[in-house]
Amino acid sequence: MNRFTEEVITQLRYYVYILVNPIDDTIFYIGKGTKNRVFAHEQDSLKTNFSNDFVEKQKLTEIKTIQSNGMEVEKYILTFGLSEDEAFHVENAVINFCKLIDAQKLNVKKLTNIMSGHRSNGQKEALQTFGRVELLQDALSPKPVAINQLGAHKIMFVKIKPTKDRSDSTKDLKAEEMYDPVSEALKKRTLGDWVMSVDKANSVEYILGVYPGSGMIVSAFKIIKDSLRYEVLHSTTTSGRNQKRYNFYHYAESITDIDGLQLFPDHIKLTHYQYVDSNGVPCNIQNERVYVGFD
């Protein structure tokens, strides 16, 4: 990969990045930029005349060494959606942090605040806020595919976000699990417990999980039985009304495609339905569930 798409560039604004030598897994450069700046250093290394700047020469020599070993520089985005001034401050803080780690030989493996902390306005709806450039490209720009390519199947779409579950810790979902279609927590989140009509529960064929910020399909399951296709859970609402919830966990299997349309590992977003419009743009729909193919 040697560039971001225009759709992703618009979302990234200013960002801070690191370059890593894959030979010894060391960070050798920290920078800030916009658009495709993170990719420009390797292109600069192809020039015949190196800069007289000492730091610049060191960086380009490192890149040349990596390339001479038949490898590519590993590129990571640390944070994005910043103003230019914010990017200056973050770049400075990260450089100082790395200098401190080196000088004092500190260990950060037991970092307790594992969450990403405050998100910039540009990150509010993003599933992934840092990582390899390839991961950010996929996460911020899933490929739009028209839902009519799935035929006349009865499908239930459910919103999935990486959060803790209030009542069941086995459903706690981390951001990295959103890229793992066979994650146990992701399966539990996708398949129940849903308030729906018994007619829909008896006829739904597929249940797909969608991350609302991008419209990306993150999980996909097919109901595999015609009878005993769900477990019925009874509860009482705050107003005292009896309520039925349907859980499909024991009656569904994980799938990677529907009628040959591959859902994984390529990240896609299905268009022309309520969560995602005909242009592939996620809609501000509050419904937890959306049904397609039902009368």
Side-chain angles (χ1 to χ4, degrees):
M1 179 178 170
N2 58 14
R3 64 184 300 104
F4 291 118
T5 62
E6 288 302 318
E7 178 184 3
V8 171
I9 287 173
T10 301
Q11 298 176 70
L12 289 176
R13 297 179 64 209
Y14 276 90
Y15 56 85
V16 175
Y17 62 91
I18 62 174
L19 303 182
V20 174
N21 185 332
I23 299 172
D24 54 8
D25 294 322
T26 55
I27 298 171
F28 66 90
Y29 189 80
I30 298 167
K32 61 167 181 57
T34 61
K35 301 180 180 178
N36 286 306
R37 174 58 182 161
V38 65
F39 303 102
H41 303 283
E42 287 170 294
Q43 296 166 10
D44 291 343
S45 71
L46 300 177
K47 298 176 182 178
T48 54
N49 296 320
F50 273 16
S51 167
N52 290 325
D53 180 82
F54 177 72
V55 174
E56 184 72 6
K57 289 178 70 173
Q58 277 191 312
K59 177 192 68 178
L60 296 178
T61 299
E62 189 90 9
I63 294 174
K64 285 281 191 181
T65 300
I66 295 168
Q67 293 171 335
S68 66
N69 280 271
M71 305 174 80
E72 294 184 3
V73 175
E74 293 180 357
K75 297 168 280 292
Y76 293 82
I77 304 297
L78 292 182
T79 187
F80 65 88
L82 307 174
S83 67
E84 184 175 15
D85 191 50
E86 288 170 333
F88 270 116
H89 289 301
V90 173
E91 178 192 38
N92 178 64
V94 174
I95 290 173
N96 288 341
F97 174 75
C98 288
K99 287 180 177 178
L100 179 64
I101 293 295
D102 278 346
Q104 301 298 322
K105 295 181 172 55
L106 301 178
N107 191 320
V108 295
K109 289 183 178 179
K110 295 183 179 180
L111 195 65
T112 57
N113 54 334
I114 60 173
M115 301 303 290
S116 297
H118 177 74
R119 292 189 175 200
S120 67
N121 289 333
Q123 295 176 349
K124 290 288 177 62
E125 294 300 317
L127 169 60
Q128 193 72 27
T129 58
F130 68 95
R132 294 186 66 136
V133 291
E134 296 86 355
L135 181 60
L136 264 294
Q137 173 64 39
D138 283 346
L140 297 179
S141 184
K143 181 175 68 176
V145 176
I147 197 169
N148 58 20
Q149 292 192 36
L150 297 184
H153 294 295
K154 292 180 171 60
I155 304 171
M156 179 172 76
F157 293 87
V158 299
K159 288 183 177 180
I160 304 290
K161 284 190 173 184
T163 57
K164 289 183 177 294
D165 190 271
R166 294 179 181 178
S167 58
D168 185 353
S169 62
T170 66
K171 294 182 180 179
D172 290 350
L173 191 58
K174 299 177 181 178
E176 55 267 28
E177 291 180 274
M178 299 283 275
Y179 296 95
D180 179 10
V182 297
S183 158
E184 190 68 10
L186 187 56
K187 179 178 180 179
K188 288 184 176 181
R189 282 285 191 94
T190 306
L191 295 176
D193 307 316
W194 300 117
V195 177
M196 58 198 300
S197 71
V198 65
D199 289 338
K200 285 186 170 67
N202 285 333
S203 57
V204 64
E205 298 174 69
Y206 298 95
I207 302 179
L208 305 186
V210 180
Y211 181 72
S214 64
M216 183 170 70
I217 302 297
V218 295
S219 58
F221 296 90
K222 180 179 181 179
I223 310 304
I224 56 177
K225 293 188 177 182
D226 293 326
S227 59
L228 291 178
R229 59 189 352 247
Y230 50 72
E231 178 183 1
V232 181
L233 305 174
H234 297 273
S235 60
T236 304
T237 65
T238 54
S239 62
R241 182 171 57 88
N242 292 328
Q243 188 178 69
K244 286 184 179 180
R245 291 181 175 270
Y246 296 87
N247 187 299
F248 299 86
Y249 178 82
H250 294 293
Y251 310 95
E253 63 180 4
S254 177
I255 58 172
T256 59
D257 72 283
I258 299 178
D259 293 345
L261 175 63
Q262 292 294 323
L263 306 174
F264 313 105
D266 292 337
H267 294 121
I268 73 166
K269 53 184 175 183
L270 294 167
T271 66
H272 296 83
Y273 76 112
Q274 280 182 288
Y275 285 165
V276 182
D277 67 18
S278 58
N279 295 316
V281 178
C283 302
N284 186 25
I285 300 296
Q286 299 303 313
N287 293 351
E288 194 174 26
R289 299 170 304 284
V290 163
Y291 300 94
V292 171
F294 292 85
D295 295 331

